[in-house]
Structures are given as C-alpha cells and as structure tokens.
Amino acid sequence: MPFGAISTTQAALAAWKNVLGPQGVTTDAAVLASFSSATFKTQQGIPAVIYPQNVEQVQQCLKIATQHRVPVYPISTGKNWGYGSRVPVADGCVVMDLGAMRGILDFNEALGYVTVEPGVTQAALYKFLHERKSNLWMDATGSSPECSVLGNTLERGFGHTPYGDHFAQVSNLEVVLPNGELLETGFPRANKAVATPVYRGGLGPGLEGLFAQSNLGVVTKMTLWLMPAPDYFEAYFFSSDEESPGAIIEALRPLRMSGTLRSAVHIANDYRVLAGIQQYPWQETGGKTPLSREVMKRLRRQLGFGSWNGSGGLYGTHAQVAEARRLLKDALRGKVRRLHFLNGRLLNLAERFSHSFRMITRMDLRKTLTLVRPVYELMQGVPTPQPLASTYWRKRTPPSSNMNPDADLCGLQWLAPVAPAEGRHAENISSMAHSILLKNGFEPALSFTLLTERAMVCVIALTYDREIPGEDDRASACFQELTTALTAGGYMPYRLGIQSMDLAALNGPRAALIRALKSEFDPANILAPGRYGPA
Amino acid sequence: MPFGAISTTQAALAAWKNVLGPQGVTTDAAVLASFSSATFKTQQGIPAVIYPQNVEQVQQCLKIATQHRVPVYPISTGKNWGYGSRVPVADGCVVMDLGAMRGILDFNEALGYVTVEPGVTQAALYKFLHERKSNLWMDATGSSPECSVLGNTLERGFGHTPYGDHFAQVSNLEVVLPNGELLETGFPRANKAVATPVYRGGLGPGLEGLFAQSNLGVVTKMTLWLMPAPDYFEAYFFSSDEESPGAIIEALRPLRMSGTLRSAVHIANDYRVLAGIQQYPWQETGGKTPLSREVMKRLRRQLGFGSWNGSGGLYGTHAQVAEARRLLKDALRGKVRRLHFLNGRLLNLAERFSHSFRMITRMDLRKTLTLVRPVYELMQGVPTPQPLASTYWRKRTPPSSNMNPDADLCGLQWLAPVAPAEGRHAENISSMAHSILLKNGFEPALSFTLLTERAMVCVIALTYDREIPGEDDRASACFQELTTALTAGGYMPYRLGIQSMDLAALNGPRAALIRALKSEFDPANILAPGRYGPA
C-alpha cells in the first residue's frame, strides 16, 4: 500500500492548505505528539492534523485524500479516552479534527429535537438549552463535558436518562462519503419531507445504521431527539454486600421490561465506586498493589458503600414516581442492604449534615456524597467532569483542575461486553474480570448498566499509571487476556478501542458485506482504515 | 434487459424443479391469475410461482435466478392488501412464496423474544404464545390474522401496543443475499455472542436497516421482541365533532413525549369509522356516491360517533393506569365530546346492555360496539379479521366469511403520509384528503396514528368497487392526484404500494448509494426489481 509515502503526503498537504488556509493544516511536532497520545501505548504515527471549518471543506478534504490516496482519520472532539483518544487505528493517517464545526441548528422545543455538528460538546449543548430556558433535557454520557455529542452517539455511547441509548434517539444523519459526496440518510427528499427530523426510518432501506461504529463516511450533522423535563425527578441508590450482582439484575429486569424503570440502572462494584471518590489508597496499603479484596472490604465499610452499588432515576409526575418507587422497593426487598430515594431537597440536606452524621455513626459519607451529586445530575442529563477523575486512580499526584488523561500519562483501557440482562451473565462477567485483573495486578473496577429493556453492558476499567516502567505492556497483556476470555464466553464488546478493532473484522458474510460496502464507498480505503472494518 | 425471455425462464424453472421438486414450482394459469390480482388494477405478468420450504432452498433458488437472470419477487404470506397484495412491482417476475416457512424458534419467556420465519402469521404467533400460557404479548397490526409478522415488520408496519413500531423491536435478521450467501445482521460472530437476540446494534456498522423496505436481500428469520403483559390494561375512547383533529393532536403529543401514553393513539374520522362497522349506506343515499358530508353527519349522530374518534391503551399497574387516566382527562378536557375508559368487565356489560341503551337514548351503539371489541383486543396484541371487512365498503354484497379482497374485486389503495405530530399537519393532510377524494367521487376514510413520541402517520383508504366499469382508472387517477398533492406539501408516505415505487427511486446521492448497494449485492438485478429501488 502506498500510504504515507512522503511525496504523496506532501502533495495532499499542499492541496489541503489551499482549501483550509495555512492555519488549517499543521505538522507541528508538539501538536502531532499530542494527537498521537492515548491512555495506553500506541505506535501509530500521524503526519499532520487538518482542521476543516464546514461541511464543504470536509468534502474537499476527502476528495483530496482520495485523489492522493492519503488516509484520513476523522475525530469530533477526540475525547474518546480509554478507547484510543485521538489516535488513528492505522499508522500514517492524517487526523481530521472536526472540533471547529460547532453549529447547533434547527432547535425545536415543541417536538423536542436539535441538529448538531461534530464539534458540539456536551457542555455546549447543555449551555444552549439552559440559555434558552428550554424545558428539554439532553442526555449526557459520564465522560467529560468536552466530549462530542455526535461522536459519542456514533460510537453507540449511552447515558442515564430515558434517552440514554444515544443512537436510538437520532434521525437524518448528514454524511460526507469518501468521494466527497454529501448524503442525508432521511427521506429520499429529506429537504422536502416534513417528517425528516422526527421519523427515523425514512422511506426505503434504512441507512443511518451504516454510519455508526463505521468508517464508511464522515457524519457532519445529526438530528438528536430530546426529552421533555418530567414534572418530577427522583434518584434511587441502593447497595448490597453480596459477592455477585446476579440477584439484583434478576430483580430489576422485569421493571425495565415493564417500562416502570424508563432509564438505565447503573450497578457499580466497590472498586469502581472507590475510584470514583478518591485515588488509590497508597497509605493504607503501604504502596502495595493491587488493592486486595480484604482491604477493599475494610474501606467500603469505613466509607459506607457496598460490594455492589446501584443507582438510577425515576421520571414522571409525582404519582408516577411514587408508584415506581413502590414497585422498586418491592422488587429489591431482601436483595439489597439499603435503598434510598433522593430528590434535590434531600440531597442538599445530606450534603449539609454529612459531617454531623459522621460524628454520630463514625461512617464517613462525605466522600461518597462527592460521587452522589454528579451521578444525580447525570441522571438529569447534566454533563459532569467528575467521572474523568477516576482516570487518575493509580497516579501519585492528584488530578489538575484541567484534566488531560492523555498528557498526564493516565493508563486507561475500557472493555465493555454486552449480554442479556440476566444474573448468570453478570456473575460470569464479574468473576472473569475480578480474577483476571487481580491476578495481573490491577483492580477490577466495573459496573453493569441495564441499558435497554433486556440488554446490559458491563464497563470494565483497567486503570494504571503509565509512568511506571513496564506497566503499559503489563496492562495491555492483561487487557488482551480479559478480551480473549470474555469473547470466548460469548461476551462481545458493544464498542471497541483502537487496540481491539480486529474483533469487528472477522470472516464470514457479514465481514464480506462490510468489505464490499467499503470498497464501493471508499475504493482507495482512505477513510479511517481499520476502524470497525478492514485495515 | 433480457428478463422474461422464454428460454431462460424455462431453464430456470427446470433448475428450480430440481431443487424444490415438481410441486415446488407452478405455472398453473389459475394460480398465476390469482397471484397477479391486487385490490387495484395491475398489468404485471407472472411466469411462475415457486415455493421454497427452507432457507437452503431459498439460497439455491436465488443462485438459480442470478445464473439465469430471471427476476424473483419474494412474498411472505402476501397479504399486503392495498399496497399491491402479491403482485410484483416489475413485469415478468417469478413470485417466490415463503409462506411454507413457518418456524417459530428460540422462544425466551424471561427475556421476551422469539425468532420467526416469513410464513409465521399473526394468528400463528398468537396461538403459539397462547398455547404456552406465555405472559408475553405480541403486537398485531390491524390487518388480517393471516398477515405475516415478518413481512409486516419489514414494511415498517405498526400496531397498537407499546411495541407498535414493529421494526424498532427486532434484532439479528437472517438474510439471503441475491448471490445465495447467508448473512446475519447481528454481531460479527452472531452464533457466539450471547447478546445477539437482545441487542440490536451488533458491533460495527448497523446492517438491519438495509433490509427494511428493500430489495437487497430476502429476510428468512428475525428475532422479535415481545412485551410482558401488564398487570392491568384499560382502553380509552373519545370523540369530537370538530372539523379538524388538530387540537386533539396538540393535546396528546405532550403525553406521548412524556411517556405517559406508551402506545400509539389512533384517531379515525367518521368515514373511517363507518366503513369499519358497515358497508356503504346504499339505501339511505339512494345509491348516490360519494357519501356527502351532510349524510355522513346524520349517520354519525344516529350511530353515536364523532367526526373524529380516538382510541388507545393504558398499560401498567392499577396505579400507573389510574395516573395516566387522570393525565389524559386533563389533557383532553374541553377538546373532546366524550372520553370513556373501558376494561374487560365494562365492555362485556356494554355489549350486553346496548339494546336497552338504544331504547332509552335512540342512539344505536350496537354497530359501534362491533368495532370496539376488535380495537380493544388489538390494543392487547390480539389479531383480528375485523378491519379487513372495511375493504368491502363499496361492494353491493356483504363479505363472505373467508374474505379475499383480491379475488372479490374489492378496490383498495392505501396512502400513508408521515408528519410531525402537530395539529397543523393533521389539518393540512386531512383537508387535502377530504377535498381530493370527495371531488373524485370517493369517501375520505382516514385515521391519524401517533406512532412514536413525535411522529404521526395518516392512513388514507381509497376504497371502491372494482366491478364498476371505469372505477379502477378513476381511483388510480384520484390516488395519483392525492399522492402528488401530499408529497408536494412535504408529506411523504412512510411506506409504498407497488403503484408508487417511483417515490423511493429519486435522484441524488441517497438514490445513488442505494443503486450502488443494489449493484454490489445483486448485479443482475434479479431480486424484486423496482421495489423501493431502481427498476
């Protein structure tokens, strides 16, 4: 393959500069080094970064890439931490940074939708709605507020409100194909069909799926559905000291399936909760890693959380929430240690009195409460930087106010298998993750999310300190071991990091079909080669 | 194009007979005539019908079709009445009848899913669940119980329970590509990924959409999600005598968007209701058509329904249903004339006492009640033959017990534009339909369905008697006039009959992309040419 040959790349760079201006193309070594850094070891080189400002420039950039056969790797805002950040899957790709395309268009309060470009961050959309005093809620994923809404949705990311399954809540993607043509996935005459923003299917074959987890086109716009704020909101929190979350999953699935629980339930183990509220307890452990189950047990008693810790939101009128509360209590009776319901007033009170509570009970809820507030707000679609702090779990110094896990050499690799929402699958996944991670010297920080009525995703965080010599390699070996064990057990990830893309490119007719689509749309294979498809 | 050349067709027929046996291929004139008949005028000839019994035979049949370049038009059970029945879009296609593939597989009560083949009818799936005393409900569309579940879902059909948006409730389609290869749209290793039946997305690009309203492959299996029966069910019915349903739509949209109404609301006009309960009032009108608004007004007073008549279901615990009832009452207060809530006990009572009611009030609710029972059951996913009777609206003789609209020369053409669920769109569509249909001598029988949180479909029935000379042509001209007016206004259909497929095959990059997919999968264009794509 002629990719990355100096002369063709130079010619492409000159052509891009013609289109984007000199400031729209950079080969600055410091910039390239920064774009080449993820939260784990990567070796891909990046010859340049280009910055289109609008869809016409994206079209021209892709035409140039095709003409010169120089591969291009588009990113939205590039906050894909734990899955590869801004680093391309293949070596020698020019990164196309779409962060400058920040348009928020076609906002419709009555029908609940908005159209966003790739550079629209969670924070920007939240601000947009807030400034307009909109009654609509966005759904936020528990990553950085600077994460792209469009980027996360295309990766099939999820959040915590009833609109948490992001890709299920979009319509009419605008896509630039690698040949530079512009496509809308909605109706044949998307510009004339009034249903385009509200009706996903369009007419004829449905195309939007093709561009999720895909290297078949660059999505430059999508319409996003937004939920009306409910009359009333209440969060629930529960914990259990059981070894396995199986009984809890079994108890909750019927409530998801009946529609009583309209949003994801999130069930985190003790390691995950601890990493959410503090860094590694270096003092208590005398610097020994990994954190043993025994020490973990002591810490969770002291801090007041369980081996499994669930949370979720109830949305509706007061009566609807009250009935959901009753049904949830019934379902969890005898299966959890504590079940608390929290509204804004109670949360304020709890925060105010946590100090006195500690003096009476000796339990220190203050740290746990630092986790409750952001989770409580996430359930209402408010983006928060808090979850990002857990990336610094194994670091020896605290995170700065302007967290940058790539630059700060935080080690993080996510692995997120999906399974039917059944207790036995939760047990299997949890037990594989616990044994393989601890054996390799890492903490099994994980959570189960009851994402839909009948499917759950387990998100496993392999967190470490990249500054420790050899740790990168040990972590990657452990990650690979866990991936192999899980997929052999039938637990395929719902999403892949750049280090695991081979899982999407298997043999068989499905792979052949995607290969055929790729060669049809992108015969020169210039668009994100290797990303969820053939390299 | 060499389609239909006698010699190649003969060679293909011989090859199919080799695979299917002599009884698996027919060129019997009576059979071909029956397959060539729809509920409107068609001229497409059918050289043969073939009957594969399993997926391997489907694969072989398509290989033979490709080899001999003989076009094949697959049908599931072919009850696509009003959209073209079993008649191919293009002339000279061999019909591939998949009705013998009746497998119901992988039933899972706890997770709520079942896998079905194309020949599984609504009645068969209902019987299957009933026999197993399953607590799961299917969703039924208001067509015949003999309609294929898979076929209706692929056409993006809909029903009346919370799982009414059929294509949104499926995963992992098994598809035979025109080259004979077998594909599963789920995970790359669908057979090994335990989430395959419950998680739609798979990993990498989403492919399932490609095979809805499509001629890119023959779907031979799909996994269908089923809802658990709620603790309690109640139906609501309301009516209004307003000219326009706009205010009702505006009042109900917030309840759909908030999730209080979890299923479609169905709002039928007076013409639609009347056609649901009786044939054309030949006596009252002295045989004059169309039924004028004045006579319609008199009839609806006499029979006790409104100019607009809404219905829907409330699902949940008693308390959830009670709260939804309260919110619905609040929303419709002052906007509807009557709002009734009905459970099974009340319905039985009403049926028993309707005669006495008539004696007291002079209103004859008995006919209206004949419509209520099937609607009430449809809302619980029970298939019913009742809606099919309205196909006989303009006939002079009553429908036989074994209704066959094709053979009985019932005229029916559906037109189903989709729009945002807003009052002004309902007004526009309704007013276009009323004026164009009445002007052309037909009744504007139509209904609005609040299908999703923010989109509604208007289903317009152009019903007539094909036995009247010239009526076929007048109806088709009227249909064309209405289609042109609606699409010019931005109201594109959600689904097409074989007479309107040109609406899916427009110019532009979307059409180019579908054409590219078609030539990739089906270079000889042997699969359902012209169906939602290039002819």
Side-chain angles (χ1 to χ4, degrees), chain B residues 148-177:
Chain B
S148 160
V149 172
L150 180 145
N152 180 268
T153 301
L154 289 180
E155 283 297 292
R156 297 199 179 95
F158 53 84
H160 299 264
T161 74
Y163 281 34
D165 185 2
H166 291 170
F167 196 69
Q169 304 291 345
V170 298
S171 70
N172 201 36
L173 314 187
E174 179 190 84
V175 185
V176 180
L177 297 177

Side-chain angles (χ1 to χ4, degrees), chain A residues 108-113 136 156 163 165 169 177 181-189 192-195 197-199 201-216 225-228 231 253-254 257-260 262 317-320 323-324 326-327 418-422 425 451-455 457 487-496 503-514 516-517 519-521 532, chain B residues 108-113 136 156 163 165 169 177 181-189 192-195 197-199 201-216 225-228 231 253-254 257-260 262 317-320 323-324 326-327 418-422 425 451-455 457 487-496 503-514 516-517 519-521 532:
Chain A
N108 188 313
E109 176 83 26
L111 291 168
Y113 66 81
L136 300 169
R156 299 200 178 95
Y163 281 34
D165 185 3
Q169 303 291 345
L177 296 178
E181 278 206 67
L182 197 64
L183 176 83
E184 286 183 274
T185 62
F187 281 87
R189 291 188 274 190
K192 285 192 187 159
V194 293
V198 297
Y199 184 73
L203 183 64
L207 302 179
E208 69 286 339
L210 288 182
F211 303 102
Q213 298 185 344
S214 162
N215 64 4
L216 299 171
W225 296 332
L226 303 172
M227 71 176 273
D231 286 4
R253 187 187 60 246
M257 285 184 65
S258 71
T260 290
R262 296 171 51 208
T317 62
H318 275 83
Q320 286 169 338
E323 176 65 356
R326 182 184 76 79
L327 294 166
V418 53
E422 292 188 300
H425 294 305
L451 179 60
T452 69
E453 286 85 349
R454 42 180 70 67
V457 172
T487 54
Y491 302 114
M492 290 286 280
Y494 88 97
R495 170 183 186 175
L496 299 174
L503 288 177
L506 292 161
N507 297 321
R510 192 184 193 282
L513 185 141
I514 290 173
L517 293 176
S519 69
E520 179 66 44
F521 295 169
Y532 293 104
Chain B
N108 188 313
E109 176 84 26
L111 292 167
Y113 67 80
L136 299 169
R156 297 199 179 95
Y163 281 34
D165 185 2
Q169 304 291 345
L177 297 177
E181 277 206 68
L182 196 65
L183 176 82
E184 286 183 273
T185 62
F187 282 87
R189 291 188 273 191
K192 285 191 186 161
V194 293
V198 295
Y199 184 74
L203 184 64
L207 302 180
E208 70 285 341
L210 288 182
F211 303 102
Q213 295 184 346
S214 162
N215 64 4
L216 299 172
W225 297 331
L226 303 171
M227 73 175 272
D231 286 4
R253 188 186 59 244
M257 285 183 65
S258 71
T260 290
R262 294 172 53 207
T317 62
H318 276 83
Q320 286 168 339
E323 176 65 356
R326 182 184 75 80
L327 294 166
V418 54
E422 291 188 299
H425 294 305
L451 178 60
T452 68
E453 286 85 349
R454 40 181 70 69
V457 172
T487 54
Y491 303 114
M492 291 284 280
Y494 90 95
R495 170 182 186 175
L496 300 174
L503 288 177
L506 292 161
N507 297 322
R510 192 185 192 283
L513 185 142
I514 290 173
L517 292 177
S519 69
E520 177 66 44
F521 296 167
Y532 294 103

Side-chain angles (χ1 to χ4, degrees), chain B residues 293-359:
Chain B
R293 294 200 195 212
E294 293 66 38
V295 178
M296 185 69 248
K297 199 168 173 181
R298 201 173 66 229
L299 281 168
R300 75 181 188 236
R301 288 208 177 143
Q302 183 187 324
L303 293 165
F305 54 84
S307 55
W308 295 99
N309 305 275
S311 60
L314 304 177
Y315 306 80
T317 62
H318 276 83
Q320 286 168 339
V321 168
E323 176 65 356
R325 195 192 304 128
R326 182 184 75 80
L327 294 166
L328 188 63
K329 278 184 188 169
D330 277 0
L332 291 178
R333 184 161 296 133
K335 296 187 181 71
V336 298
R337 189 155 48 88
R338 281 192 292 262
L339 173 61
H340 294 298
F341 295 89
L342 199 62
N343 57 25
R345 199 176 48 86
L346 274 172
L347 179 56
N348 290 339
L349 274 176
E351 285 170 342
R352 206 185 309 161
F353 293 110
S354 61
H355 184 69
S356 334
F357 183 81
R358 186 194 178 201
M359 293 198 301

Side-chain angles (χ1 to χ4, degrees), chain B residues 78-213:
Chain B
K79 312 296 188 207
N80 200 17
W81 286 308
Y83 293 109
S85 305
R86 297 174 293 187
V87 181
V89 177
D91 190 34
C93 291
V94 170
V95 172
M96 181 162 69
D97 185 333
L98 305 172
M101 293 171 63
R102 299 196 192 98
I104 301 183
L105 318 157
D106 301 333
F107 173 62
N108 188 313
E109 176 84 26
L111 292 167
Y113 67 80
V114 69
T115 300
V116 296
E117 291 189 332
V120 176
T121 63
Q122 300 200 111
L125 181 55
Y126 183 77
K127 181 160 170 275
F128 176 91
L129 295 171
H130 189 75
E131 282 176 355
R132 273 152 196 80
K133 299 187 173 36
S134 170
N135 189 47
L136 299 169
W137 282 2
M138 61 179 284
D139 186 277
T141 197
S143 176
S144 158
E146 298 312 310
C147 153
S148 160
V149 172
L150 180 145
N152 180 268
T153 301
L154 289 180
E155 283 297 292
R156 297 199 179 95
F158 53 84
H160 299 264
T161 74
Y163 281 34
D165 185 2
H166 291 170
F167 196 69
Q169 304 291 345
V170 298
S171 70
N172 201 36
L173 314 187
E174 179 190 84
V175 185
V176 180
L177 297 177
N179 63 10
E181 277 206 68
L182 196 65
L183 176 82
E184 286 183 273
T185 62
F187 282 87
R189 291 188 273 191
N191 58 333
K192 285 191 186 161
V194 293
T196 299
V198 295
Y199 184 74
R200 178 190 184 87
L203 184 64
L207 302 180
E208 70 285 341
L210 288 182
F211 303 102
Q213 295 184 346

Side-chain angles (χ1 to χ4, degrees), chain B residues 251-270:
Chain B
L252 293 176
R253 188 186 59 244
L255 297 183
R256 280 297 270 146
M257 285 183 65
S258 71
T260 290
L261 296 182
R262 294 172 53 207
S263 63
V265 189
H266 189 256
I267 304 160
N269 73 353
D270 40 14

